[in-house]
Amino acid sequence: RLFNLAGVEAPHTHWISLRIIDHPSENPPDQYRGDYWGLYLVLENEDGRFLKEHGLPDGNFYKMTQGQGELANQGANQVTNKSDLQQLLAGIRGKGQTENWWRTHLDLPRYYSYRSIIEAIHHYDVSDGKNYNFYRNPKTSQWSTIPWDIDLTWGDHMYGGGHEPFQFPVLSKPVFALEYQNRLREIRDLLFNSDETDRLIDECAGLISKPKGSPSIVNADRAKWDYHPIMISRYVMQDKAGHGLFYQASRTGDFQGMVRQMKDYVKRRASFIDNSILNDKTIPTTPTITYTGSQGYPGNGLSFSCSSFAGAGGFAAMSWRLGEIDPRRVPQTKPTVPGRYEITAVWESGELREFNEQLVLPAETVKTGHAYRVRVRMKDHTGRWSHWSPPVQFEVGRTKDEKNAF
């Protein structure tokens, strides 16, 4: 979900309750026997149907293992001998590729987002030429990376060094490093933080658990496996199995404790990113905005004002954005549709080369009763973007005409 929200196509997932019927009795003497096998995660396979599902053109798609690729989808009218992949790999391994070469061959905005989520969740198990796949868009002739196998994440002790093929040749160039930091800074502001990511964690947890830990499918899964006899048998690796270890990483030893652990990790990892990657002290000062529109936030009276540009690099551009959110944090019932997150823009101004402190939102961009956040950011002449401003959050009220209709 984080990859997809950041604009990087990644497999959809879903939980299933698995049953395998191999005995006539459906009323076993204990929970360790019978047809119930617990809770499992299903991942969307990455192939031609994946491309279609995610709105990507029919192009060559390579599953990468140890730095080599095998076709998972043969795009229409695309090469069949992997010569396109071989040319890419030769380019990556070569020296002295120009800025223009990279802009021509690599979808850089997608790569910056991909690399940002890698850092956010510590998806470092990509160093051995695996756990990622390459896709070539036949319309742009640009390559992008599709993530895969992200189970060793959400912990700084997880395996790997995080050095995927593009990291050094791309981010070692100052111009690309600057653009990457701009995108990572944006993802920190709008997605990977204790507000939005915590809400996403709660949404996912709400699909398989219930508030306050009341009985749910995660409890049944634990009852099946935590003290299952096989966990101490000769069929398991003794250093990786045992009894009573189900939620051992949680301080409280339960599912809610694991949810808390993920939220705590967001705080720690965000702090690491801010201090070690986003530590550029020369970016413009973060601007602020105030609401200047009509009382009650009617859709046809939404206006805002921002602070002046401040920064050593001089004003080059500014940008406004509007994102819709779900204001309620913890779902009280099982979610039936994906939540709305601020990083998915409802409206954007684009780069504005002239400073204008005033913004009037187009009325057609908002819906009565929906909650939104408005932000602004500034760019200097070195290409550095500021952080997005703290948001002005509001719920759209009725216009005068709508009130009269009632």
Side-chain angles (χ1 to χ4, degrees):
R1 288 290 296 283
L2 286 171
F3 276 115
N4 279 298
L5 284 168
V8 179
E9 292 79 8
H12 295 315
T13 62
H14 198 69
W15 284 283
I16 62 169
S17 177
L18 180 63
R19 293 180 178 272
I20 300 177
I21 301 174
D22 53 5
H23 293 287
S25 173
E26 292 188 7
N27 187 27
D30 57 49
Q31 71 266 38
Y32 308 121
R33 287 169 279 186
D35 57 15
Y36 177 64
W37 274 57
L39 183 67
Y40 290 79
L41 184 69
V42 177
L43 291 91
E44 179 185 20
N45 192 32
E46 294 187 353
D47 52 20
R49 290 173 295 180
F50 172 89
L51 298 179
K52 186 176 181 180
E53 169 69 17
H54 291 265
L56 294 171
D58 183 23
N60 280 0
F61 190 101
Y62 294 93
K63 291 202 171 183
M64 304 300 294
T65 304
Q66 296 181 337
Q68 301 299 315
E70 294 297 329
L71 267 174
N73 180 71
Q74 172 64 55
N77 303 317
Q78 303 299 299
V79 300
T80 60
N81 60 359
K82 299 199 293 187
S83 59
D84 54 351
L85 177 64
Q86 297 305 323
Q87 291 173 4
L88 173 69
L89 295 178
I92 294 173
R93 295 162 185 161
K95 294 182 179 179
Q97 303 293 7
T98 65
E99 176 185 338
N100 185 62
W101 188 92
W102 284 108
R103 293 196 187 280
T104 300
H105 291 85
L106 181 62
D107 188 334
L108 284 166
R110 268 189 172 83
Y111 173 69
Y112 299 147
S113 295
Y114 167 74
R115 186 69 216 180
S116 294
I117 302 302
I118 277 184
E119 291 293 351
I121 64 174
H122 196 283
H123 179 36
Y124 278 17
D125 190 15
V126 290
S127 301
D128 299 330
K130 62 175 184 175
N131 297 338
Y132 56 83
N133 299 315
F134 287 159
Y135 162 69
R136 184 176 183 270
N137 187 316
K139 293 186 176 180
T140 65
S141 298
Q142 291 182 322
W143 291 87
S144 59
T145 306
I146 306 296
W148 182 250
D149 195 354
I150 57 172
D151 59 329
L152 295 181
T153 53
W154 294 88
D156 293 344
H157 61 288
M158 295 300 185
Y159 176 82
H163 307 302
E164 37 77 26
F166 296 119
Q167 183 185 20
F168 177 76
V170 174
L171 299 185
S172 62
K173 294 185 178 297
V175 62
F176 297 147
L178 187 150
E179 292 172 359
Y180 163 61
Q181 289 190 20
N182 284 339
R183 179 54 174 161
L184 178 57
R185 192 176 301 117
E186 182 174 38
I187 286 175
R188 274 282 294 114
D189 293 340
L190 303 177
L191 178 61
F192 192 72
N193 53 61
S194 292
D195 181 26
E196 292 291 270
T197 302
D198 280 17
R199 206 155 51 80
L200 179 60
I201 292 170
D202 284 331
E203 179 191 327
C204 293
L207 294 170
I208 53 176
S209 66
K210 295 180 181 178
K212 300 180 181 179
S214 53
S216 63
I217 195 68
V218 294
N219 304 113
D221 186 54
R222 182 178 193 172
K224 172 71 177 184
W225 293 113
D226 200 6
Y227 288 92
H228 196 292
I230 201 171
M231 302 305 288
I232 55 172
S233 73
R234 61 186 177 89
Y235 298 106
V236 301
M237 298 176 67
Q238 297 298 325
D239 60 334
K240 293 187 176 182
H243 280 171
L245 305 179
F246 212 68
Y247 294 128
Q248 61 176 320
S250 161
R251 289 194 297 270
T252 54
D254 55 12
F255 180 77
Q256 294 303 318
M258 296 303 295
V259 171
R260 181 70 265 161
Q261 177 167 301
M262 292 186 74
K263 293 179 180 180
D264 290 343
Y265 184 73
V266 173
K267 288 183 180 179
R268 290 199 312 274
R269 193 65 186 176
S271 177
F272 164 80
I273 290 172
D274 292 345
N275 293 324
S276 64
I277 304 177
L278 299 178
N279 55 1
D280 186 349
K281 305 300 183 184
T282 64
I283 64 172
T285 301
T286 304
T288 59
I289 55 177
T290 55
Y291 179 66
T292 58
S294 304
Q295 186 177 1
Y297 301 100
N300 60 354
L302 298 171
S303 63
F304 305 84
S305 177
C306 71
S307 59
S308 299
F309 174 86
F315 175 83
M318 63 188 299
S319 178
W320 295 84
R321 78 184 314 274
L322 176 72
E324 185 174 0
I325 64 163
D326 294 323
R328 195 169 56 195
R329 290 189 61 84
V330 181
Q332 298 304 306
T333 59
K334 184 161 86 170
T336 57
V337 295
R340 292 178 285 254
Y341 293 88
E342 186 183 4
I343 196 168
T344 303
V346 173
W347 173 87
E348 294 176 292
S349 68
E351 281 197 35
L352 305 174
R353 301 302 175 89
E354 294 185 7
F355 180 81
N356 185 348
E357 66 179 12
Q358 300 296 325
L359 169 70
V360 177
L361 274 176
E364 63 272 15
T365 62
V366 297
K367 297 178 180 178
T368 301
H370 288 228
Y372 299 91
R373 286 176 178 169
V374 171
R375 298 189 193 237
V376 69
R377 64 175 178 169
M378 306 285 181
K379 186 170 77 169
D380 66 17
H381 285 298
T382 69
R384 290 171 168 82
W385 281 101
S386 71
H387 282 282
W388 284 101
S389 66
V392 169
Q393 181 173 320
F394 61 94
E395 183 174 309
V396 179
R398 294 186 186 135
T399 65
K400 187 177 294 184
D401 290 341
E402 288 174 326
K403 291 178 181 178
N404 293 337
F406 283 86

